């Protein structure tokens, strides 16, 4: 079982719930951080002191406030921690339900478990801790596991990436169409670009174009 744990979570009620779960496993040595920067510094110092953490439990979304931060999301924190301490076990604990973002965490950041916050989250958290502490198996909440197994008829291609990158740079749809026409990139009609944007918004559950760009940036797609 884990001996030293750090929790990266900015909401106190979730912190308390996670702490109680750790106590149920008789894990007494744990700390929490409300900012990703603080969590990373604690992990780095623990390594320097030759007393490393063996488990990180991190949320993905952190509310912005007056404080300037270098690490703004749990995704980025997890990636940096994985690079700093490759053997640490990592549980993502979040309300996030976007398939691509979760897949990226497993495939690129090599998280050990993903627990979906909700009605069964504490039960799942206990299962996750038990699973990854006793084996090399991965754990994922059932709701998300089912979603990840679903096959989608929609796949993002190079043209979608180009559109998203142009939008993130502040290029308007009309300007994108002109760029495509001048570069002989097809399809380049207004209706084709609008259809692609509509599908992208539906796929990423984005409310508008700005939200779409924000989501795809957070996921590292652009």
């Amino acid at each position: 079982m884990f001996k030293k744990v750090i929790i990266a979570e900015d909401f106190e009620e979730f912190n308390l719930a996670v702490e109680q779960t750790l106590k149920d496993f008789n894990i007494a040595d744990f700390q929490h951080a409300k900012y990703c920067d603080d969590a990373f510094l604690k992990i780095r110092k623990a390594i320097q002191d030759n007393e490393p953490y063996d488990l990180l439990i991190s949320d993905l979304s952190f509310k912005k406030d007056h404080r300037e931060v270098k690490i703004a999301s749990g995704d980025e924190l997890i990636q940096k921690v994985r690079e700093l301490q490759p053997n640490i076990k990592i549980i993502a604990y979040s309300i996030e339900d976007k398939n691509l973002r979760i897949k990226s965490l497993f495939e690129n950041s090599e998280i050990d478990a993903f627990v979906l916050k909700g009605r069964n989250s504490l039960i799942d958290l206990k299962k996750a801790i038990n699973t990854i502490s006793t084996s090399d198996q991965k754990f994922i909440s059932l709701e998300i596991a089912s979603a990840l197994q679903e096959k989608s008829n929609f796949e993002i291609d190079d043209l979608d990436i180009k559109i998203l990158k142009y939008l993130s740079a502040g290029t308007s749809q009309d300007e994108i169409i002109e760029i495509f026409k001048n570069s002989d990139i097809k399809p380049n009609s207004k209706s084709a670009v609008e259809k692609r944007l509509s599908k992208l918004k539906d796929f990423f559950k984005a409310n508008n174009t700005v939200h779409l760009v924000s989501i795809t940036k957070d996921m590292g797609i652009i």
Side-chain angles (χ1 to χ4, degrees), residues 1-2 25 89 126-137:
M1 184 48 66
F2 300 112
F25 281 104
K89 296 281 188 173
K126 286 184 178 181
K127 289 180 181 177
I129 291 172
N130 188 59
T131 298
I132 69 174
S133 68
T134 57
S135 71
D136 291 327
Q137 293 182 2

Side-chain angles (χ1 to χ4, degrees), residues 98-160:
K98 293 184 177 65
N99 296 357
L100 284 180
R101 190 176 184 184
I102 298 168
K103 280 184 178 179
S104 176
L105 286 166
F106 276 104
E107 293 173 3
N108 300 325
S109 300
E110 298 180 358
I111 63 171
D112 299 281
F114 187 98
V115 175
L116 183 69
K117 287 181 178 177
R119 293 177 181 174
N120 300 316
S121 58
L122 294 184
I123 295 172
D124 280 357
L125 185 58
K126 286 184 178 181
K127 289 180 181 177
I129 291 172
N130 188 59
T131 298
I132 69 174
S133 68
T134 57
S135 71
D136 291 327
Q137 293 182 2
K138 304 287 186 178
F139 178 89
I140 185 168
S141 292
L142 183 60
E143 303 96 319
I144 301 300
S146 300
L148 289 178
Q149 290 169 2
E150 291 176 0
K151 293 183 178 179
S152 173
N153 293 324
F154 178 70
E155 292 184 0
I156 299 170
D157 59 23
D158 290 340
L159 188 62
D160 294 318

